Amino acid sequence: MTEETKRKSEKISAEILQIAKNKLLVNLRFLDVALSRLSPVPDTLSETESGEYRVKSCATDGRVFIYSPRHIITTFKLEEDMTTRAYLHVVFHCVFKHMFVSSLVNTDLWDIACDIAVESAINDLGLDYLGTLRAGQQKQFIEGYKDELKMLSAEKIYRFLLDKQLPQKSIDTLKMLFKADEHFLWYLTDEQKRAMKIPGYGDEDSAAFLVELSELAADWGEIGGTMLVDLETFGKQRGTEAGLLTQNLREVNRERYNYTEFLKKFAVRGEVMRINPDEFDYNYYTYGLTLYENLPLIEPLEYKDTKAIRDFVIAIDTSGSTSGELVQKFVQKTFNILKSSESFFTKINLHIIQCDAAIQEDVKITTQEEFDAYLRTMKIHGLGGTDFRPVFSYVNSLVEIGEFTNLKGLIYLTDGYGEFPAKKPVYETAFVFIDDEPNNYNVPPWAIKLVLRSEEI
């Protein structure tokens, strides 16, 4: 490829992408910030003397959007709308924050899951100019698994693909069906990108353009949040339903919680008997100096003031929706966190209460052995309606008779549908929901709401 031909292809491809961008801006106004944040740049460096571009189609890492001019022109000739769709595909990867991924078991499946989530969201927009020949086949695939794939986010699809253990032939078919860009930039370090001379990384002047990964993720999170607000407030007025797009944005912007850190909020101060190297007895210190002149005697104190949990209540809503193995795993995880040396006293006072519309069981745990025995024989009692008030009345009565020295917290595992007490108790209360779907749970203003995924339990 001559330099003249190369310049012409870059100019034509840039014009094609500008047309695609304008078309998206006219029809999807909520994308204005996202489209402005990600500007296309041609991959001007060749792999070989034959003029083969390094990027076969297009790619992004959230900072740069690079593309092969030859691919853009070829695609536009074959199917004009495919170029606009590919542009949107890349932008959706960014607003869904697909490239900000931690270590995965299978990056191939993650790539496919992200492409399925993006293509499904595009199909769901129902816009004629985004229709392509393979869109029908994509919808057919999703329809075949609609009972198993209730939520089309990349995380859910990834878990689905892992569980399915599809043969390589099926994986290759999915790649052909949903792939629209390349994801290799997601897995490269900045140093590797500089070594490859990726646009935006190749020289010192461009380094100022780069931001930290955490800042970049926050930027796209803010852009996605703005899009979500726009869709939820003005989308229906404009005739833009965008159900899957809204669903994905809600999921990616859903606040994540660290359950271990959360439990620290219930910590109380107490004295734990252990050697404290930070403090020592001054009597021995001065006595040593007096007796040996230059040899102090240091005796560490055998206590340390630390934050820990002595009294605690785990309440379990045993109505049908929260029964089963998940309850046992939740109790096990909670106890494992509480019993850690920095979080739990040697003497513990843990009450595990099962309740539906009435108190069904209260088991007191004071040692690890008692908890292990409880877990081995644990059974769910009740399975009736849900009423939270009996648990609070019962725990309040335990407080009154002195069962707890300093009850700091009560954690209530529930599905959220029941009668809440009207008055705030004297202890902190958290309602924990185990849910993989984006639901809005209502809790009283005096309670803490915590939504965890099943895999976090």
Side-chain angles (χ1 to χ4, degrees):
M1 181 186 293
T2 65
E3 286 299 318
E4 180 66 22
T5 304
K6 199 173 181 180
R7 282 195 295 271
K8 285 183 179 180
S9 65
E10 288 173 8
K11 181 181 178 182
I12 294 170
S13 60
E15 290 174 353
I16 291 172
L17 287 173
Q18 187 60 50
I19 292 170
K21 182 178 180 179
N22 292 341
K23 190 179 289 186
L24 292 171
L25 280 171
V26 168
N27 292 275
L28 302 171
R29 295 297 300 169
F30 56 83
L31 285 173
D32 54 350
V33 179
L35 289 168
S36 299
R37 180 65 176 82
L38 199 64
S39 299
V41 178
D43 182 16
T44 57
L45 295 177
S46 301
E47 284 183 334
T48 66
E49 294 180 0
S50 61
E52 283 293 329
Y53 285 97
R54 223 171 3 174
V55 178
K56 305 301 181 185
S57 55
C58 54
T60 186
D61 63 351
R63 290 171 173 148
V64 296
F65 170 22
I66 57 178
Y67 64 90
S68 161
R70 176 183 295 178
H71 172 80
I72 296 299
I73 295 170
T74 303
T75 303
F76 187 78
K77 288 179 179 178
L78 290 173
E79 198 172 352
E80 182 178 334
D81 291 333
M82 190 177 289
T83 308
T84 307
R85 188 183 178 104
Y87 201 140
L88 185 58
H89 181 107
V90 170
V91 172
F92 275 6
H93 275 317
C94 294
V95 295
F96 295 161
K97 300 201 289 188
H98 287 161
M99 62 285 301
F100 307 110
V101 60
S102 58
S103 57
L104 290 167
V105 176
N106 192 319
T107 54
D108 282 344
L109 291 187
W110 176 249
D111 288 344
I112 296 170
C114 292
D115 285 335
I116 293 175
V118 165
E119 289 292 291
S120 298
I122 294 173
N123 290 333
D124 190 60
L125 291 174
L127 299 174
D128 292 337
Y129 72 92
L130 292 176
T132 57
L133 294 175
R134 66 178 186 170
Q137 295 174 288
Q138 292 175 348
K139 293 177 183 177
Q140 188 176 3
F141 168 80
I142 297 299
E143 186 67 22
Y145 293 101
K146 65 179 181 180
D147 292 334
E148 297 175 77
L149 282 172
K150 295 180 180 178
M151 183 175 181
L152 293 174
S153 67
E155 291 82 0
K156 297 300 176 189
I157 298 169
Y158 176 70
R159 289 290 172 188
F160 167 78
L161 294 175
L162 277 179
D163 294 341
K164 277 292 179 183
Q165 296 184 338
L166 298 173
Q168 188 60 45
K169 184 177 179 180
S170 298
I171 292 174
D172 293 339
T173 300
L174 289 177
K175 285 181 180 179
M176 292 179 60
L177 195 57
F178 290 94
K179 184 177 179 179
D181 65 336
E182 300 168 59
H183 302 163
F184 71 94
L185 290 179
W186 300 3
Y187 310 111
L188 298 179
T189 64
D190 288 352
E191 289 72 22
Q192 290 171 319
K193 293 170 187 174
R194 286 193 181 96
M196 292 176 65
K197 297 183 179 179
I198 298 294
Y201 294 87
D203 52 65
E204 292 301 323
D205 292 336
S206 64
F209 169 75
L210 304 180
V211 294
E212 292 295 327
L213 198 62
S214 58
E215 295 178 12
L216 185 65
D219 285 347
W220 281 111
E222 185 176 342
I223 291 171
T226 303
M227 285 174 56
L228 180 60
V229 171
D230 195 359
L231 285 167
E232 290 181 331
T233 53
F234 305 111
K236 290 186 178 180
Q237 298 176 18
R238 298 169 181 167
T240 309
E241 294 297 333
L244 287 181
L245 174 58
T246 303
Q247 188 183 76
N248 272 275
L249 288 173
R250 282 177 184 156
E251 177 67 11
V252 79
N253 286 284
R254 185 170 76 92
E255 189 173 0
R256 300 296 196 269
Y257 299 95
N258 185 311
Y259 190 46
T260 303
E261 292 300 318
F262 170 76
L263 280 184
K264 291 180 181 178
K265 294 182 179 180
F266 294 93
V268 294
R269 284 206 171 271
E271 202 174 77
V272 179
M273 294 306 298
R274 66 177 70 181
I275 292 176
N276 181 11
D278 299 327
E279 298 180 28
F280 54 87
D281 192 324
Y282 286 96
N283 291 326
Y284 282 99
Y285 184 89
T286 54
Y287 177 70
L289 291 176
T290 303
L291 185 63
Y292 302 108
E293 293 186 356
N294 62 349
L295 182 64
L297 300 178
I298 296 177
E299 176 71 13
L301 298 180
E302 293 186 347
Y303 66 84
K304 182 180 180 181
D305 191 36
T306 186
K307 284 190 173 183
I309 299 166
R310 189 190 303 276
D311 298 328
F312 208 79
V313 175
I314 299 174
I316 303 166
D317 173 9
T318 57
S319 60
S321 55
T322 52
S323 61
E325 183 182 0
L326 194 60
V327 171
Q328 190 177 38
K329 288 181 178 179
F330 174 77
V331 173
Q332 176 74 73
K333 182 177 179 70
T334 303
F335 185 82
N336 287 344
I337 296 171
L338 295 180
K339 75 175 183 179
S340 62
S341 59
E342 290 298 324
S343 300
F344 218 49
F345 286 104
T346 304
K347 285 288 186 178
I348 64 175
N349 182 20
L350 172 66
H351 282 253
I352 302 176
I353 302 172
Q354 294 190 31
C355 179
D356 47 15
I359 301 295
Q360 298 294 335
E361 182 184 67
D362 176 20
V363 177
K364 181 177 179 178
I365 303 292
T366 60
T367 65
Q368 175 73 55
E369 291 73 21
E370 289 178 357
F371 178 77
D372 292 339
Y374 169 76
L375 209 61
R376 284 194 301 270
T377 59
M378 181 182 180
K379 293 182 180 179
I380 302 298
H381 304 281
L383 306 179
T386 303
D387 191 340
F388 304 123
R389 293 171 296 182
V391 166
F392 289 92
S393 297
Y394 177 70
V395 173
N396 290 341
S397 67
L398 294 179
V399 172
E400 290 175 3
I401 64 175
E403 169 62 22
F404 298 109
T405 303
N406 184 5
L407 177 59
K408 182 63 178 177
L410 180 152
I411 285 190
Y412 210 133
L413 177 67
T414 178
D415 63 2
Y417 304 107
E419 293 293 327
F420 293 93
K423 185 179 178 182
K424 180 186 184 301
V426 295
Y427 41 85
E428 295 291 338
T429 302
F431 288 92
V432 177
F433 308 93
I434 311 298
D435 205 337
D436 298 322
E437 307 298 331
N439 290 313
N440 293 320
Y441 295 103
N442 295 318
V443 300
W446 46 262
I448 301 170
K449 180 177 72 172
L450 185 70
V451 182
L452 301 175
R453 298 170 183 266
S454 56
E455 57 262 28
E456 293 172 325
I457 301 299

